[in-house]
Amino acid sequence: WLYGRCGGSCPGRVGPPGTAAELRTPLEGGIWRFDVPRKTFEVIAHGTTNPWGHDWNEWGDLFFINTVNGHLWHAIPGAHFDRPFTLDPNPHTYETIDMHADHWHFDTGQSWHQSRDGSANSFGGGHAHMGMMIYQGDNWPKDYRGNLFTFNFHGRRANQERLDREGSGYVARHGRDLLIASDPFFRGLDLGCGPDGTVTLIDWSDTGECHEATGVHRTSGRIYRVAYGDAPRADLPSNDLRSLSSLELVRLLHRPNNWYHRQATILLVERASATKVAAADDFQSALTELRTIAKGDDPQLAHRALMTLHAMRENEPEYIRGFLTHDNEHLRALAIRLLADRWPIDTIFAPPKLSPRRAQIVQAESEALSDTFVEMARSDSSALVRLALASVLQRMPLDRRAPVAQQLVTHSDDADDHNLPLMVYYGLMPIAEAHADPLADVATGCRWPVTQRLIARRLAEQIEQQSGPLESLLGFAARCDDAAVVHNILLGVAQGLKGWNRAPRPANWHDLVAAVSAMDPGKTQPNTIDSDEIGSLVRELSVLFGDGRALDEVRKMVLDNKTDIGLRRTALRTLVASGDAAVDGICLSLLRNAHLNDVAVKGVAASRDPQAAEQLVNSYYSFRAALRPLVIEVMVARPDFAAALLDAVEAEKIPASALSAFDIRQMLSLEEPQLNQRIAAVWGEVRESPQQKLDQIAVVKKQLDPQTLAAANLPAGRLLFNKQCASCHRLHGYGEQVGPDLTGSNRNNIDYLLENIVDPSAVVGKDYRMTVIETTDGRVLNGLVISSNDKTVTLQTQTERKTIDRENIDNLRLTEKSPMADGLLDTLTADQIRDLFAYLMQPAQVSLAE
């Protein structure tokens, strides 16, 4: 696996541009990994701000450092971490996991950017961190081993953190800073341990920081070596590790310096992929030695051997299952992770769509382990093991998750754990979309208030789609004599319906009201729950289930900055849907609020305010990139708004590329002659498709019904795209950028796809019109001019890129046609058309691995 991290809003990217290894997925902070042999990419943790360094401890647990919203995190696969500047893209996440340190490096009573220029020295230096190492060498004193080190930019120092096991994971406690630099040019970038156990530090040597605000001395830099003592090492192996036999590489696992373990594993993985080497006696002896070490008495060595075998793909499931009953909690947790490691993890929204063959494999493997995981969730004494199971929920098929979760949530000792209550909830989130009954079953036996409340909130939000699961949970509450549990469930329901104007009444609501009225006040918990609080929640919900909540209350909630942002979004959606007279002004005032503007823009759609179009243009870049098409969609629906949009394109306030062919068609449908003339000048030509092509579009559209698309072979569709389209178009980061990048286009609209594929010349942007070049030697070339200067013209044809000397060009003319050829679908079978369209409509990249 190749690991990486992303901060802010950026593409996670691996592999050379334009190659099959290059994969991108939109990230707004997080940690990703890429399986190099299988070419699979997955985001394993979501959130934070700028994670700029990561490393593993001696038990294979991943940690990373971060900037602004807490500096140190345990990278639990499937976690949704706190993010200060954006919302978690999944609206059902509700709550996120905070950092894993018990301290901050700046004064949180002030803004984070005020921790510079030495003002946060007493806290640890400031908010910005870069590079990270968990020291596992053998040169520094033992007190440093296992501790985490990271550079603090503004503090010009290397912070030290002690990682202590606590609950289901770890807590980082502040240690003594390793070093403080007096040189104002010191900007530590990274640090790492070498073969002799000493540590190498990389210094940018500049007075600037991120965003290139100052300094930027690109040719400077310093490298330091930090050693304890100066005695030469006589006990080190050969400098050329490749010269060692495979068996000698395995024996490096016994060395105390982790550098050797990692290098030996890399070399053994290389040899495992070489057929002749893997068949050699020495290599087979190395495998035997690894399995012997794994079954030995030293759990640390066993862990190293298991990880090496797994990287070499020499761990069979039955072999790994033997470690599920090991005495050491770390080895049990590792075995759980390894058994599920090849199962795809949930995306930030839902489980990934798998090919039928891959889905069948995951289903079969998870069924074989289901009973074992359920029993471990019930009986294992280690919260670390329970965290591994909670994390693996997001790799299991949906029908296998609830039984494991039902056992996990019975451990009352974990109720206040830093990770478990939310991690289990994250694994259960997608179940509500299909069949939510299992969620109610988990909530009724739940001993964790946070998880129970969030499930109640999720079920309440689904009341219009499926009321049965919520009614099941409310029925349990009506029978429950624990006031704290009743209050928790009612609070979750109230949060789920916060901002709603009216909701359908659950069939058993009156039963719960009667039970609450008869509740014995003596059974409440006066230190935590007041019976009046329960009564207040019942009254609030009774209004919502009856005559509805007054819109004035909803308006106040939308505009209250102190209200939870998720609840404000729900209230704003209610307000927009209500058609309330005040919605225009409220929504216009929220267009620059990145947390609310995607909802607010829908309220502006009905506005007749002449200033609304101007405000939409001015707030365009306040929307995250993925949401900017919402602004365009609103503006192309009204003649005056459309005119303002074209003004903005001419003034380069909004790029012409932001308008899709579908948007242009929409503006043309307004039937405004002056607008049509401007469209041709600003964007490009549009013509009506010939009847023959319209008939073909109708036939193909009828064939591509939802059931047909659902049965598509997505990897085959991706291969077709690579063959037919990638020479000109880029999608999910792969392909050439000759024609429009399709990643952000209107691909989920099948009419848009059909029109552009069947009749590509019907709607042509002015930057993508075909050019015809007649050369002095009598050739006629057609294509798209992608660059030109006073000496040459570079033309992309259907098959290659040609650079032509202007002296050899006899005539060059720009047409109104697309360089994309007609008849793309004519050579494809029905299954190939299905696969290609299904792939084009996918919101994220599809794996080629089976």
Side-chain angles (χ1 to χ4, degrees):
W1 286 103
L2 171 67
Y3 281 74
R5 60 237 182 222
C6 169
S9 179
C10 68
R13 170 174 170 177
V14 286
T19 70
E22 186 193 19
L23 301 172
R24 290 185 181 182
T25 187
L27 293 173
E28 292 185 358
I31 303 291
W32 53 262
R33 71 176 190 171
F34 178 65
D35 187 327
V36 178
R38 295 176 65 242
K39 302 293 188 293
T40 57
F41 178 94
E42 63 184 24
V43 181
I44 63 168
H46 308 274
T48 71
T49 308
N50 287 312
W52 282 343
H54 66 271
D55 199 359
W56 289 261
N57 71 357
E58 60 184 349
W59 296 110
D61 295 300
L62 178 61
F63 297 83
F64 66 92
I65 56 89
N66 180 60
T67 292
V68 179
N69 69 313
H71 62 283
L72 198 146
W73 307 74
H74 176 192
I76 307 163
H80 292 246
F81 293 131
D82 182 44
R83 54 177 79 221
F85 304 119
T86 61
L87 293 177
D88 190 291
N90 190 326
H92 307 302
T93 299
Y94 304 144
E95 297 179 14
T96 53
I97 297 174
D98 205 349
M99 70 167 174
H100 293 87
D102 68 353
H103 60 284
W104 294 77
H105 287 158
F106 62 96
D107 184 358
T108 56
Q110 302 184 60
S111 177
W112 56 272
H113 55 74
Q114 292 179 293
S115 67
R116 302 171 180 176
D117 301 322
S119 62
N121 283 345
S122 61
F123 292 91
H127 70 274
H129 304 82
M130 186 66 155
M132 200 191 88
M133 171 195 71
I134 297 176
Y135 184 71
Q136 296 172 76
D138 56 353
N139 172 261
W140 289 8
K142 290 183 179 179
D143 288 346
Y144 290 92
R145 187 173 178 85
N147 289 356
L148 184 152
F149 299 87
T150 180
F151 284 120
N152 188 298
F153 248 38
H154 298 296
R156 296 201 301 268
R157 66 189 66 200
N159 294 137
Q160 179 178 190
E161 306 282 322
R162 189 176 73 251
L163 301 175
D164 295 337
R165 272 281 291 115
E166 185 173 288
S168 67
Y170 298 83
V171 61
R173 296 188 166 89
H174 198 24
R176 182 180 178 184
D177 290 333
L178 173 68
L179 62 87
I180 298 176
S182 59
D183 184 352
F185 271 73
F186 183 80
R187 288 289 183 270
L189 286 183
D190 209 351
L191 65 171
C193 182
D196 61 352
T198 64
V199 173
T200 300
L201 315 180
I202 304 174
D203 171 23
W204 174 13
S205 189
D206 202 340
T207 57
E209 50 169 284
C210 59
H211 307 300
E212 303 188 351
T214 59
V216 193
H217 297 83
R218 296 190 181 280
T219 59
S220 62
R222 293 174 286 195
I223 299 175
Y224 300 93
R225 176 174 173 268
V226 181
Y228 183 74
D230 55 5
R233 297 285 298 270
D235 60 333
L236 300 181
S238 166
N239 287 331
D240 182 11
L241 297 188
R242 291 184 181 276
S243 67
L244 300 181
S245 69
S246 297
L247 190 58
E248 289 173 321
L249 288 175
V250 169
R251 289 170 181 165
L252 292 180
L253 269 61
H254 293 271
R255 296 194 65 85
N257 187 353
N258 184 260
W259 184 89
Y260 287 102
H261 317 155
R262 295 180 178 181
Q263 298 302 317
T265 297
I266 291 171
L267 294 176
L268 288 167
V269 168
E270 288 181 2
R271 296 179 186 186
S273 63
T275 306
K276 290 183 179 180
V277 176
D281 292 342
D282 170 61
F283 188 82
Q284 293 302 312
S285 297
L287 288 178
T288 301
E289 181 73 8
L290 280 170
R291 294 190 177 102
T292 300
I293 295 172
K295 292 293 186 179
D297 296 332
D298 188 330
Q300 185 64 74
L301 284 175
H303 187 281
R304 296 172 190 168
L306 269 181
M307 289 294 288
T308 302
L309 284 167
H310 187 69
M312 297 166 68
R313 285 164 166 73
E314 293 288 347
N315 265 349
E316 293 299 324
E318 283 305 314
Y319 179 77
I320 302 174
R321 288 186 70 159
F323 291 88
L324 293 175
T325 56
H326 199 281
D327 292 340
N328 185 277
E329 63 172 351
H330 295 282
L331 288 174
R332 298 199 302 278
L334 175 65
I336 292 168
R337 294 197 297 268
L338 295 186
L339 285 166
D341 196 48
R342 299 289 190 268
W343 306 346
I345 197 168
D346 286 356
T347 69
I348 199 164
F349 294 109
K353 187 176 178 63
L354 305 179
S355 67
R357 178 174 175 270
R358 187 67 189 148
Q360 186 177 21
I361 292 172
V362 173
Q363 186 74 34
E365 291 181 356
S366 64
E367 285 180 6
L369 288 164
S370 182
D371 290 344
T372 301
F373 282 178
V374 169
E375 177 56 28
M376 292 184 75
R378 184 191 70 82
S379 62
D380 199 289
S381 60
S382 168
L384 182 75
V385 172
R386 294 195 286 275
L387 180 63
L389 289 167
S391 173
V392 163
L393 285 179
Q394 293 187 54
R395 297 188 181 275
M396 299 177 72
L398 291 180
D399 63 339
R400 295 287 164 182
R401 299 186 185 189
V404 176
Q406 277 182 283
Q407 297 302 322
L408 288 173
V409 299
T410 62
H411 293 270
S412 55
D413 290 347
D414 295 332
D416 297 322
D417 187 79
H418 188 88
N419 310 304
L420 278 168
L422 288 177
M423 284 300 302
V424 168
Y425 172 71
Y426 299 151
L428 296 173
M429 279 194 301
I431 295 177
E433 297 294 336
H435 188 63
D437 285 331
L439 285 182
D441 296 336
V442 174
T444 56
C446 186
R447 306 292 296 275
W448 301 346
V450 170
T451 311
Q452 186 180 60
R453 173 172 51 80
L454 296 183
I455 291 176
R457 180 174 175 177
R458 185 73 182 92
L459 294 180
E461 287 188 350
Q462 290 287 104
I463 192 172
E464 292 183 334
Q465 289 78 31
Q466 41 183 332
S467 60
L470 178 61
E471 290 171 353
S472 176
L473 184 57
L474 293 177
F476 163 75
R479 300 186 301 271
C480 182
D481 60 1
D482 187 333
V485 171
V486 176
H487 175 269
N488 198 44
I489 291 173
L490 287 172
L491 182 60
V493 174
Q495 289 175 340
L497 300 177
K498 202 78 172 177
W500 289 42
N501 187 32
R502 185 177 287 104
R505 182 190 297 115
N508 58 352
W509 177 248
H510 290 304
D511 296 337
L512 179 56
V513 174
V516 169
S517 299
M519 187 175 289
D520 182 358
K523 290 186 178 181
T524 63
Q525 301 174 24
N527 292 330
T528 55
I529 302 298
D530 190 313
S531 58
D532 287 343
E533 293 181 29
I534 299 177
S536 176
L537 287 169
V538 168
R539 289 190 294 274
E540 176 187 343
L541 289 169
S542 293
V543 170
L544 189 62
F545 295 143
D547 296 331
R549 182 184 280 131
L551 281 177
D552 185 55
E553 181 184 344
V554 178
R555 293 187 206 105
K556 291 179 180 177
M557 192 181 305
V558 169
L559 297 173
D560 186 358
N561 292 329
K562 296 180 180 178
T563 298
D564 174 78
I565 194 67
L567 301 182
R568 290 180 70 192
R569 286 175 61 83
T570 301
L572 184 57
R573 280 194 292 265
T574 297
L575 206 60
V576 170
S578 72
D580 179 50
V583 73
D584 291 8
I586 291 175
C587 289
L588 285 172
S589 72
L590 297 172
L591 288 178
R592 292 184 181 274
N593 186 321
H595 292 164
L596 297 170
N597 56 13
D598 61 317
V599 181
V601 72
K602 297 174 183 177
V604 177
S607 175
R608 296 185 181 277
D609 184 345
Q611 300 299 316
E614 181 182 349
Q615 292 191 49
L616 283 167
V617 170
N618 292 337
S619 63
Y620 179 76
Y621 286 102
S622 296
F623 287 73
R624 298 202 308 274
L627 299 175
R628 290 170 192 161
L630 294 175
V631 179
I632 305 299
E633 180 182 349
V634 169
M635 298 197 73
V636 298
R638 290 176 173 277
D640 50 346
F641 281 27
L645 174 60
L646 293 175
D647 289 342
V649 172
E650 281 188 313
E652 298 184 350
K653 292 182 178 179
I654 293 178
S657 59
L659 278 65
S660 70
F662 191 84
D663 298 323
I664 299 302
R665 285 284 189 197
Q666 171 64 38
M667 285 194 285
L668 289 172
S669 70
L670 298 173
E671 297 184 349
E672 294 281 338
Q674 291 183 340
L675 202 61
N676 294 352
Q677 292 176 9
R678 293 195 62 201
I679 288 170
V682 172
W683 193 84
E685 289 295 326
V686 181
R687 66 166 175 77
E688 292 301 319
S689 296
Q691 189 59 47
Q692 183 180 3
K693 294 185 183 298
L694 291 175
D695 292 342
Q696 184 182 9
I697 288 172
V699 170
V700 177
K701 182 178 180 180
K702 187 175 180 180
Q703 294 172 347
L704 296 176
D705 57 72
Q707 292 78 16
T708 300
L709 290 169
N713 183 334
L714 295 178
R718 180 179 171 186
L719 290 173
L720 271 170
F721 172 84
N722 293 350
K723 179 181 178 181
Q724 302 279 2
C725 317
S727 61
C728 291
H729 295 286
R730 178 174 287 247
L731 179 59
H732 302 310
Y734 174 67
E736 298 295 333
Q737 290 183 295
V738 178
D741 189 325
L742 303 182
T743 308
S745 63
N746 197 21
R747 291 176 294 107
N748 62 337
N749 186 322
I750 197 163
D751 293 317
Y752 169 86
L753 287 176
L754 280 166
E755 181 174 280
N756 280 274
I757 291 174
V758 174
D759 192 6
S761 293
V763 185
V764 189
K766 66 176 185 178
D767 293 331
Y768 299 108
R769 290 180 289 179
M770 184 169 69
T771 295
V772 178
I773 294 178
E774 299 175 18
T775 65
T776 54
D777 62 4
R779 290 178 297 154
V780 178
L781 305 174
N782 291 260
L784 183 70
V785 172
I786 58 174
S787 67
S788 65
N789 54 43
D790 58 351
K791 294 289 293 180
T792 62
V793 174
T794 300
L795 189 75
Q796 176 69 46
T797 72
Q798 285 292 306
T799 58
E800 62 179 322
R801 184 173 299 184
K802 298 176 180 291
T803 299
I804 308 162
D805 195 305
R806 283 189 179 273
E807 292 183 355
N808 297 327
I809 296 176
D810 191 39
N811 185 33
L812 182 153
R813 68 181 187 274
L814 189 63
T815 75
E816 300 302 333
K817 290 188 175 183
S818 167
M820 180 175 168
D822 293 350
L824 171 65
L825 303 184
D826 296 346
T827 61
L828 303 181
T829 66
D831 284 352
Q832 287 177 318
I833 293 173
R834 174 203 65 189
D835 297 341
L836 177 61
F837 274 78
Y839 170 68
L840 289 170
M841 296 173 76
Q842 292 302 304
Q845 183 60 280
V846 171
S847 171
L848 288 173
E850 285 291 304

